[in-house]
Amino acid sequence: MNQEQESSDEVLTINPELAQRVLEELGQNVYLCYQCIKCTNGCPAGEYFDWQPNQIMRALQLGQEDIALHSQTPWLCASCQTCTTRCPQDLDITAIMEFLTREALERGIKPIVPEVDGFNKAFMREVHLWGRSYELGLMVEMKVRNIGRRSLMEDMDLGVRVIAKNKMPFLPKYVRAPKKVKPVPGAASAVAYYPGCSLHSTSSEYNVSTKAVCEELGLKLIEPEGWVCCGSSAAHRSDPYEALRLPMENLRLIEQGGFSEVTMPCAACFSRHKAAQYEIRHHKDRREAMDKAMDYQYQDLVQVNTLIDTIHQRITPDGLAQKVKRNLDGMRVVCYYGCLLTRPPQVTEAKHPENPTGMDELMEALGLQVSDWSYKTTCCGAAHSLTRPDIVLDLSSKLIEHAREAGAEAIVVSCPLCHTNLDARQFQMKLEQPMPVLYLTQLMSIALGLPEKTAALHKNLVDPRPLLRSKGFLTD
């Protein structure tokens, strides 16, 4: 065999070790990928990658560990689930990207995007310490971790504005899920309310308006005592065990309390709890491990819903329309669902993951003119809000531009992470004309004729009140 033939043989050698590791841990066979490139074509963050998602999949197939484990791509993946939802081979590409970051660290490879690794560690430390996310502490730790990599002044302007709106508690609250829970009086006819960490801090206006609206609609919400953080994106990226255990602790205490349904306003919280349910339903060993860890045999009796679904199913758009006291006709909006309320559909059970309509129908019931647009579920970059704000600013500003092109005067959202990126960061985008971004419950509060304070409009960083007054929706 001559030297040219030997060189050719080396090029064609395939090392299946990393692909085997993916199969063992995730049950994902990367050799099913036939390079249709749907994952790459639909990826909102693809322009920031060094290797595209389909190229990472090919590297795994060929055993090119130098590419798969040393690429920025897995670290910059926003976990928006677009690739997983659209893959014709049903490959969980998002999970594969998350696996690669963990595998790199386990092999002693320094994180290619250290800000992301630092965020994951800082977030999980706050959760383990306090039981819930402590946003101010998280932000301070991120500043310290990124000394020398990012400017200390980055996002300080945003922090000042958020604090000025009294949207960020200075002190954390210590919480632990109780080991045993007594049945909650009235739970059988009520809905468990899991607000998530953000609604108790930077998204307090969502919490206030949600409670007021549901009370007016006759929908009894009960917030279970002792709920803990779901782990958000940090857990499912860095610690699969905690990504399962934390949501299961919440589902346990909700089930023990006697509830049959829990509603979750936060898209990330909804996603994590639905993913946990999906996992225990499809992996007997993991279910048994969770039962042992919780010292409780979970019965899987709780339906996990988004706030949109709870109102849509229990009140219905027609029922909501009958309760409207101030018709909001004359204002044009688009509804933005974000990534995780509907994707992936095998987990969320969404009937139309790419074109959801539930929020549209509720807003139309208020009299709003809802414009159709193609960006309902396009990622705003939420996962990188504290790690790569440049990506967030780019993706979010494009969404606002597209909303304006669709003829919208305001954007309606139902996720605190989406609201932060679209509302709070607009002053950083240097837009000629800011666009109000409102929670669906803020608009419901106005339409139901509730006192203005229940909508907590003063908490929004882009003040929606001038627009609402111009439409005659506010009296003062």
Side-chain angles (χ1 to χ4, degrees):
M1 181 180 294
N2 58 37
Q3 186 175 359
E4 183 178 346
Q5 288 176 313
E6 289 179 358
S7 176
S8 177
D9 288 343
E10 286 183 8
V11 172
L12 294 175
T13 298
I14 296 177
N15 175 12
E17 181 181 346
L18 191 54
Q20 186 62 35
R21 286 279 298 116
V22 173
L23 182 63
E24 291 171 356
E25 182 165 324
L26 304 179
Q28 298 291 312
N29 183 357
V30 300
Y31 294 107
L32 292 175
C33 172
Y34 57 81
Q35 293 293 301
C36 70
I37 320 183
K38 283 189 176 182
C39 55
T40 292
N41 287 343
C43 181
E47 63 184 286
Y48 311 104
F49 297 162
D50 49 1
W51 295 89
Q52 291 304 306
N54 70 294
Q55 294 174 320
I56 296 294
M57 295 300 292
R58 180 63 89 200
L60 285 169
Q61 292 175 332
L62 298 177
Q64 294 176 304
E65 297 184 1
D66 57 327
I67 294 176
L69 297 176
H70 292 267
S71 169
Q72 294 180 3
T73 300
W75 293 96
L76 291 181
C77 168
S79 300
C80 69
Q81 301 287 345
T82 305
C83 53
T84 297
T85 298
R86 297 179 181 177
C87 178
Q89 294 292 73
D90 292 328
L91 287 169
D92 192 344
I93 300 170
T94 301
I96 292 171
M97 294 296 172
E98 294 166 353
F99 163 83
L100 289 174
T101 62
R102 296 193 300 272
E103 183 72 8
L105 293 176
E106 288 176 8
R107 296 192 184 193
I109 300 172
K110 291 184 179 181
I112 309 304
V113 185
E115 297 96 326
V116 174
D117 181 54
F119 172 80
N120 294 338
K121 291 176 178 176
F123 189 97
M124 294 308 297
R125 180 170 21 258
E126 296 291 342
V127 172
H128 288 146
L129 184 61
W130 305 112
R132 295 177 188 169
S133 170
Y134 172 39
E135 292 179 318
L136 184 58
L138 176 62
M139 293 175 183
V140 171
E141 181 170 348
M142 286 298 294
K143 287 293 181 187
V144 174
R145 281 181 171 273
N146 290 327
I147 290 177
R149 285 194 294 266
R150 307 191 78 86
S151 169
L152 283 173
M153 298 306 295
E154 184 179 63
D155 269 353
M156 288 295 287
D157 50 356
L158 175 59
V160 169
R161 292 180 183 229
V162 171
I163 291 173
K165 291 282 187 177
N166 195 26
K167 288 161 64 78
M168 189 180 297
F170 283 95
L171 299 176
K173 182 179 180 180
Y174 180 82
V175 179
R176 287 293 182 272
K179 293 297 182 183
K180 292 185 179 181
V181 179
K182 295 180 180 179
V184 176
S189 60
V191 176
Y193 176 58
Y194 180 89
C197 303
S198 294
L199 270 76
H200 277 202
S201 55
T202 51
S203 299
S204 56
E205 63 268 44
Y206 197 10
N207 188 42
V208 171
S209 57
T210 294
K211 288 182 175 180
V213 163
C214 288
E215 182 178 358
E216 181 68 16
L217 293 175
L219 188 58
K220 185 178 181 181
L221 301 181
I222 299 178
E223 185 174 336
E225 294 184 9
W227 61 266
V228 295
C229 178
C230 67
S232 193
S233 61
H236 68 88
R237 271 186 169 276
S238 62
D239 192 338
Y241 178 81
E242 286 296 272
L244 180 58
R245 185 190 70 80
L246 289 168
M248 287 307 303
E249 288 285 7
N250 292 318
L251 293 174
R252 169 188 65 81
L253 68 88
I254 291 168
E255 182 176 270
Q256 285 182 316
F259 297 96
S260 60
E261 178 185 351
V262 57
T263 192
M264 299 188 174
C266 174
C269 297
F270 169 74
S271 174
R272 293 317 314 150
H273 286 82
K274 291 294 282 189
Q277 282 190 323
Y278 182 85
E279 198 166 339
I280 64 165
R281 289 170 181 171
H282 291 80
H283 299 279
K284 183 180 178 181
D285 56 332
R286 296 175 193 175
R287 179 170 188 154
E288 291 174 348
M290 287 300 104
D291 286 350
K292 183 177 180 180
M294 299 186 298
D295 192 24
Y296 173 75
Q297 188 171 1
Y298 183 64
Q299 303 299 307
D300 199 6
L301 300 176
V302 179
Q303 174 64 39
V304 177
N305 276 338
T306 66
L307 182 63
I308 296 171
D309 287 336
T310 296
I311 296 175
H312 199 281
Q313 293 168 11
R314 287 181 173 255
I315 307 301
T316 76
D318 288 341
L320 177 61
Q322 292 173 12
K323 294 179 179 291
V324 168
K325 297 178 181 177
R326 181 180 293 127
N327 192 289
L328 303 187
D329 184 28
M331 184 165 133
R332 300 183 304 278
V333 302
V334 291
C335 292
Y336 178 65
Y337 296 75
C339 312
L340 301 178
L341 287 175
T342 62
R343 293 193 298 235
Q346 62 266 34
V347 172
T348 65
E349 301 175 283
K351 294 180 180 179
H352 305 288
E354 302 280 16
N355 185 30
T357 58
M359 183 161 44
D360 297 56
E361 292 164 8
L362 293 177
M363 293 301 99
E364 287 172 347
L366 306 181
L368 290 161
Q369 298 174 22
V370 181
S371 299
D372 195 16
W373 66 327
S374 302
Y375 303 91
K376 288 182 175 181
T377 59
T378 300
C379 182
C380 68
H384 292 306
S385 190
L386 291 181
T387 56
R388 287 292 301 273
D390 57 315
I391 294 177
V392 172
L393 285 173
D394 187 25
L395 294 179
S396 296
S397 61
K398 288 177 181 176
L399 285 170
I400 294 171
E401 179 182 343
H402 291 313
R404 203 179 306 280
E405 290 171 351
E409 297 172 281
I411 300 174
V412 188
V413 301
S414 58
C415 170
L417 300 178
C418 298
H419 190 269
T420 295
N421 287 339
L422 294 174
D423 170 66
R425 290 189 176 277
Q426 280 196 44
F427 75 96
Q428 296 175 329
M429 299 173 190
K430 311 298 183 184
L431 302 176
E432 292 185 10
Q433 182 181 354
M435 175 175 285
V437 181
L438 297 114
Y439 288 109
L440 76 162
T441 48
Q442 289 182 301
L443 288 167
M444 285 182 181
S445 176
I446 296 169
L448 293 173
L450 299 177
E452 187 179 323
K453 65 179 182 180
T454 63
L457 300 170
H458 63 286
K459 293 280 189 178
N460 295 45
L461 266 69
V462 176
D463 193 346
R465 289 173 292 187
L467 173 63
L468 297 173
R469 288 192 186 104
S470 73
K471 301 293 182 180
F473 301 153
L474 299 180
T475 56
D476 62 333

